[in-house]
Amino acid sequence: VAGVANGTANPWYARFATSESSTVLADAASLNPSFFSLWIGNNDILGYATSGGSGVDQTGNLDPSSYGGNDITDPNVFAAAYSAQVDALVAGGAKGVLLNIPDVTSIPYFTTVPAQSIPLDAATAGAVNAQFALYNGALGQLVAAGFISAEEAALRQVNFNEGINYPIMTDVDLTDVTAILIGGGIDPQTAALLGQLRQVKSDDLVVLTASSALGSVPDPSNPLGIVGVSIPLTNQFVLTSTEQDRVATAGAAYNAIIEGLAAANELGYGDMKSALADVAANGAVYNGGLLTSTYVTGGAFSLDGVHPTPRGYAFTANTIIDVINTTYNASIPKVDIGTYGTVTLHNN
């Protein structure tokens, strides 16, 4: 309990820990379980994803004490920690089910806000394009000077049209040309906005929290300072395709480790990645309805867009029961998904 205030102890676990020095794993193992389920590892990539890739991909860094909260865990570090948990849980002869890690595109946090989200009429689009003409022209000069490639220059071109447009954003994986622009006579504030600027692309994922930022005017005294049009979305609001690749690569490595440990220890293996991907793509039929990953109305996920509702957890429970029944020749009955709560709409 003493560690809760300074962030060194889990406040929920501290309420029921058997001692001041115990750990979650030690307390679980001390119960000498005959059966267990283990679904862990999501947060080794989720913080990076939900923060729009604001953390660091620590692949290759074997010192987890140097990691930040939004970093991607090195697969070897993950393997060591996960193996230790499995070893502790099976030490007394217990059997169980290991569950893998879903893909981020299965949850509404990443699929609710469309990449194209800026409506403009023809006159406004033309006026905005006129403001970016100097920037677009400078990209060619940066290529000629060898600061960026022609491919990057093409990616960085900003162009708005009449209709629904992609917002502008800051991409931290682009070359930072802020200092070069300042040297070319652009004022520092504008140069900072343009330093790693591009428009969102169709394969980027705009996160749920961007819905409150897009189209907003941070400074009321400057009505032309509109986020997504003249002010770029910051890194935290977009998981780019490059950042998605980092998440997917780490997730695939983690899942291979989990599946390998399940086979080595003759445990059940629950493919939650496939199960939740199917919910997102096709929905899951249950007695009384269809469970989908659509934000608010789909029934599977809570309003944070990440965690399942009770109804969503009932679906995951049934998925685990299927694995148990298949692996251990059991006959555990499934739960009735429709009897569990979900997000509901009310007129107040």
Side-chain angles (χ1 to χ4, degrees):
V1 174
V4 172
N6 60 23
T8 60
N10 183 311
W12 294 276
Y13 172 61
R15 293 176 66 88
F16 63 86
T18 57
S19 73
E20 287 287 331
S21 60
S22 187
T23 65
V24 175
L25 180 58
D27 273 359
S30 71
L31 297 174
N32 193 28
S34 61
F35 197 90
F36 66 91
S37 61
L38 184 62
W39 196 7
I40 198 166
N42 291 279
N43 288 341
D44 288 85
I45 51 175
L46 184 62
Y48 180 88
T50 56
S51 68
S54 296
V56 176
D57 182 358
Q58 295 287 1
T59 299
N61 180 4
L62 302 181
D63 178 15
S65 66
S66 66
Y67 293 4
N70 291 329
D71 291 355
I72 294 176
T73 300
D74 173 84
N76 291 301
V77 172
F78 178 92
Y82 198 97
S83 298
Q85 294 177 45
V86 174
D87 289 346
L89 291 168
V90 302
K95 294 298 182 181
V97 175
L98 307 184
L99 306 169
N100 71 2
I101 298 168
D103 191 274
V104 294
T105 56
S106 296
I107 62 178
Y109 191 88
F110 299 98
T111 59
T112 299
V113 179
Q116 286 181 281
S117 52
I118 302 295
L120 297 176
D121 57 34
T124 304
V128 174
N129 286 337
Q131 293 297 314
F132 281 105
L134 181 61
Y135 168 74
N136 287 339
L139 293 172
Q141 299 174 33
L142 293 173
V143 173
F147 292 117
I148 63 174
S149 67
E151 292 77 15
E152 182 173 331
L155 177 66
R156 297 177 71 132
Q157 287 281 329
V158 175
N159 182 54
F160 288 95
N161 301 291
E162 180 181 9
I164 309 299
N165 292 267
Y166 294 103
I168 58 173
M169 62 167 288
T170 297
D171 184 346
V172 297
D173 285 306
L174 292 178
T175 305
D176 190 349
V177 296
T178 302
I180 300 168
L181 294 175
I182 292 174
I186 296 178
D187 68 272
Q189 183 177 5
T190 301
L193 290 177
L194 300 176
Q196 293 175 298
L197 182 76
R198 70 170 173 89
Q199 280 181 285
V200 171
K201 303 300 180 185
S202 60
D203 54 358
D204 296 322
L205 297 176
V206 181
V207 304
L208 183 63
T209 50
S211 59
S212 61
L214 282 165
S216 65
V217 180
D219 181 2
S221 67
N222 178 24
L224 298 180
I226 303 170
V227 174
V229 179
S230 55
I231 300 174
L233 281 171
T234 53
N235 183 52
Q236 72 195 75
F237 291 121
V238 184
L239 189 68
T240 67
S241 57
T242 299
E243 293 163 342
Q244 291 171 53
D245 287 343
R246 295 179 185 134
V247 172
T249 298
Y254 301 166
N255 285 344
I257 292 163
I258 295 169
E259 186 171 13
L261 286 169
N265 291 276
E266 298 182 339
L267 302 171
Y269 177 68
D271 188 0
M272 297 308 304
K273 178 180 179 179
S274 295
L276 290 180
D278 190 51
V279 171
N282 306 306
V285 177
Y286 65 91
N287 183 22
L290 180 70
L291 202 64
T292 76
S293 64
T294 302
Y295 187 58
V296 179
T297 59
F301 289 91
S302 62
L303 293 179
D304 68 2
V306 175
H307 296 91
T309 59
R311 193 167 292 177
Y313 276 120
F315 168 80
T316 64
N318 281 345
T319 303
I320 297 170
I321 289 170
D322 281 338
V323 174
I324 294 172
N325 288 343
T326 300
T327 305
Y328 298 105
N329 194 28
S331 56
I332 300 172
K334 292 186 179 182
V335 300
D336 184 350
I337 292 176
T339 63
Y340 289 82
T342 188
V343 177
T344 55
L345 303 178
H346 297 275
N347 292 320
N348 293 321

